[in-house]
Amino acid sequence: MIKVSNLTKKFGSNTSLDNVNCEFNKNESIALMGANGAGKTTLIRSILGYYHPNDGEVLINGMNPIKERVKVLENISFVPQLPPPIKLSIDELMQYISVGAKVDRDLIMHYANEMKLDVSANLNKSFFKLSGGMKQKLLIAISLAKKSDIIIYDEPTANLDPKARDDFYRLLKQNEDEKVLLFVTHRLEEVKDLVNRQIYMDLGKIVSDDKV
Amino acid sequence: MKNLSLIAYLDLKESIRAKWFVVYSLVFGGLIALFFIAGVTESQVMGFSGLSRLLLMYIQITIVILPIFILITTVRSISGDRDSHVLEYMLSFPISLKQYYWGKIIGRFITVYLPVIFAMIIAIIYGAFKGASIPWDIFFLYTGLLFAMSAAFLGIAFFISSFVKSSEVALGIAFFIWIFLLAFIDIALISLMMQQRFNEELIIFMAMINPMEIFRVAAISLFDPELTVMGPVAFYILDSMSQTVFVLLSIGYPLVLGLLFAFFGYKIFEKKDLV
Ligand SMILES: Nc1ncnc2c1ncn2[C@@H]1O[C@H](COP(=O)(O)OP(=O)(O)OP(=O)(O)O)[C@@H](O)[C@H]1O
Ligand SMILES: [Mg+2]
C-alpha cells in the first residue's frame, strides 16, 4: 500500500533521510524505532506528502501524496508526536473534521468515550486548553473514527496514563485488521503484542527490518 | 466550495475570539466615538462640516493604522501555524491546499474588513439620528477604498507569511513594509524631486504605485475634485484620466495588487515543504 523508493530528504546540509527504500502492505503493524533524530518523523511526514524530497518518491496505492494529496489523505489517519495548540474549540475541531474529512461525529464521540474522555462536557473549550493526555485521547479518537486503511501514529502515548494506554492498545487491536498500522515508538515492550514487523532507523537509514 | 467556506468560517470564529480582534474593533469603534465626543461634526474646517468631515478624518487615520494592523495580525497566520505544528495536524485531513489557503484568506478578510466598515456605518446612523445629512457618495467611496485597502495589505501579509521561516522575521518584514510605504517613499520622492534629476512624471508615477499614496489622494478627491492639495500631481493625474477613472483606479489597482500577492503567496505555499 505504501511504497518508499530511494527517498532522500535533506535540510540544508543535514541529511534526514538517506536513500530509504521500504514497502508497507496490508495487515502489517509496524513498530518504527530509532534514536532521537533518526528520521522517523521525517519519514512519516514524507508519507503524508508534507516534504518535497530531494530524491526518490513515495507512492500510496500508486498515488503521489503531494500531487494527489486529497485522495491520498482520505485514506490516512494520523496522530502527531506533539498535540498542536489548536485554538478552535472541540466542537469546531470536530466540525472541521466531520465536514472536511467526512468523519462521523458520533463515531468520534464513541471512541472518545472508549478512551474515557468526556467530549460533551468540553465542547466549547479550546482544544489547546485540554490537558496533554486529553488532547491525545481526542486525537486518537478522531484517528479511529476516520475509517482509513493507513493509520500512522508518531508516539501517541507519551502523555497517556497506564489505564488510557491499555484502552488505546485494546482499541487498536480491534481496528488493525486489513490495515497498515505504522507506529513510532521508543517502548517496544508496550506494542509487542500489537506489531508484526519491527523497523529500526539510524542516521536517516533503515538499519534493520524484521517480521515477527 | 464547502471546505472553502468551512475554513473561512472557522478562521473567522477563531479570530473573533482573539484578543487582537477586540483591540482592533475597539480602536476603530473608539475612533468614531472620539470624533463625536470631540464634536468633529459640529465644527467647520476647510469648508467641510458634519459627517463628511468626520468620515474624512476617519479615513485619513485609518489609511495609516489599518495596514499595520492587518500586517501584524495576519503575517503570522500561516507561518505561526507552521511553527506551532498546527498546520501539521490540520493538513493531515483530505483538504486541498487551495481550499485551505484561500479559505484562510477569506476568513481573515471578513475579520479585518467588518470592524472598519461597521464603525463607519455606526457613524452614519448616529449622525443621521442627530440630524446631520448623509454624504452617500463619500460613504460609498470609502467603503470601496477600505475594501481595496484591506485586500491589498491582506494579500501582502499572506505573501510574507507563505515564505518566512519564523514569526519574528515575519513581523519585522511587516513593520518595514509599513514604514517604507508610509514614510520613506514620500521622503525619497521629495528629495528626488528637489534634486530635479528625474522628470516629474516618473516621480509621480512612482508615488502612485504605492497603495497608501493612492488611498490618500483618492480619499480627498471627492472633497477637492481638482486635487489642488496635491499640487503638480493633480495636473498629471487629471491630465491623463478623468476623476471617475481615477477613483476606479484607486480601488481596482490595490485590489489587483492584493490578489496578485495572495496568488504568489499561494504558489510559494504549494511549492514549499508544508511543515
Ligand atoms: N524542518 C526541519 N528543518 C531542519 N532540520 C530538520 C527538520 N525536521 C527534522 N530535521 C532534522 O532531521 C533529523 C531527523 O529528525 P526527525 O524529527 O525525523 O527525528 P525522529 O526520528 O522523529 O526523532 P525523535 O525520536 O526525537 O522524534 C534531525 O537531525 C532533525 O534535526
Ligand atoms: Mg519524531
Side-chain angles (χ1 to χ4, degrees), chain B:
Chain B
M1 209 39 222
K2 201 174 58 187
N3 285 346
L4 191 77
S5 51
L6 170 76
I7 288 158
Y9 170 73
L10 290 177
D11 187 72
L12 182 65
K13 268 181 98 173
E14 186 183 311
S15 304
I16 285 174
R17 276 197 305 263
K19 284 196 192 72
W20 68 261
F21 181 78
V22 178
V23 174
Y24 179 83
S25 307
L26 282 178
V27 165
F28 291 101
L31 212 54
I32 293 289
L34 207 68
F35 287 158
F36 276 112
I37 294 166
V40 168
T41 44
E42 269 97 67
S43 62
Q44 190 167 14
V45 177
M46 283 165 67
F48 322 128
S49 63
L51 276 178
S52 321
R53 177 150 187 272
L54 180 139
L55 290 180
L56 179 63
M57 280 181 77
Y58 175 70
I59 199 142
Q60 280 176 332
I61 294 176
T62 306
I63 285 169
V64 175
I65 59 178
L66 184 65
I68 191 66
F69 257 116
I70 293 180
L71 285 171
I72 59 176
T73 55
T74 312
V75 88
R76 284 171 299 174
S77 57
I78 287 183
S79 57
D81 280 356
R82 188 183 285 134
D83 281 356
S84 63
H85 300 286
V86 168
L87 218 52
E88 178 183 21
Y89 186 68
M90 300 309 262
L91 290 180
S92 73
F93 293 95
I95 283 175
S96 75
L97 297 183
K98 210 180 258 162
Q99 288 166 334
Y100 191 84
Y101 182 89
W102 293 102
K104 283 269 167 193
I105 288 198
I106 294 169
R108 227 12 107 86
F109 182 84
I110 299 171
T111 321
V112 296
Y113 185 57
L114 276 189
V116 285
I117 198 74
F118 205 64
M120 217 160 72
I121 292 172
I122 288 179
I124 294 280
I125 294 173
Y126 187 75
F129 181 71
K130 292 192 78 179
S133 66
I134 299 174
W136 287 113
D137 51 346
I138 293 173
F139 174 76
F140 286 122
L141 172 68
Y142 288 5
T143 305
L145 281 181
L146 289 174
F147 189 93
M149 179 149 57
S150 304
F153 286 95
L154 203 69
I156 294 174
F158 268 83
F159 175 70
I160 298 171
S161 189
S162 69
F163 68 83
V164 289
K165 279 261 180 263
S166 81
S167 304
E168 278 83 50
V169 178
L171 268 186
I173 297 177
F175 261 110
F176 175 77
I177 288 181
W178 180 63
I179 296 283
F180 181 76
L181 292 182
L182 189 65
F184 290 159
I185 286 189
D186 266 5
I187 295 168
L189 290 177
I190 289 168
S191 68
L192 279 183
M193 193 125 41
M194 290 202 303
Q195 289 172 6
Q196 300 202 322
R197 241 188 275 155
F198 299 95
N199 70 11
E200 284 188 359
E201 266 171 272
L202 180 69
I203 292 169
I204 286 157
F205 173 75
M206 281 163 65
M208 285 299 123
I209 57 175
N210 175 358
M212 240 137 125
E213 198 68 52
I214 212 166
F215 287 129
R216 263 192 258 176
V217 180
I220 196 105
S221 68
L222 281 197
F223 291 93
D224 183 6
E226 251 87 72
L227 293 177
T228 44
V229 281
M230 292 294 292
V233 177
F235 174 76
Y236 288 105
I237 292 177
L238 295 179
D239 196 40
S240 46
M241 63 188 99
S242 72
Q243 201 222 351
T244 326
V245 173
F246 174 67
V247 163
L248 288 178
L249 184 76
S250 68
I251 294 174
Y253 161 68
L255 209 59
V256 170
L257 194 70
L259 279 172
L260 271 180
F261 270 110
F263 179 76
F264 287 130
Y266 171 68
K267 282 288 159 206
I268 295 172
F269 178 63
E270 200 185 37
K271 285 279 164 323
K272 263 185 41 146
D273 287 347
L274 286 177
V275 290

Side-chain angles (χ1 to χ4, degrees), chain A residues 36-37 39-42 81 154-155 184 186:
Chain A
N36 294 131
K40 304 178 297 292
T41 301
T42 309
Q81 186 162 7
D154 196 349
E155 286 183 73
V184 176
H186 290 293

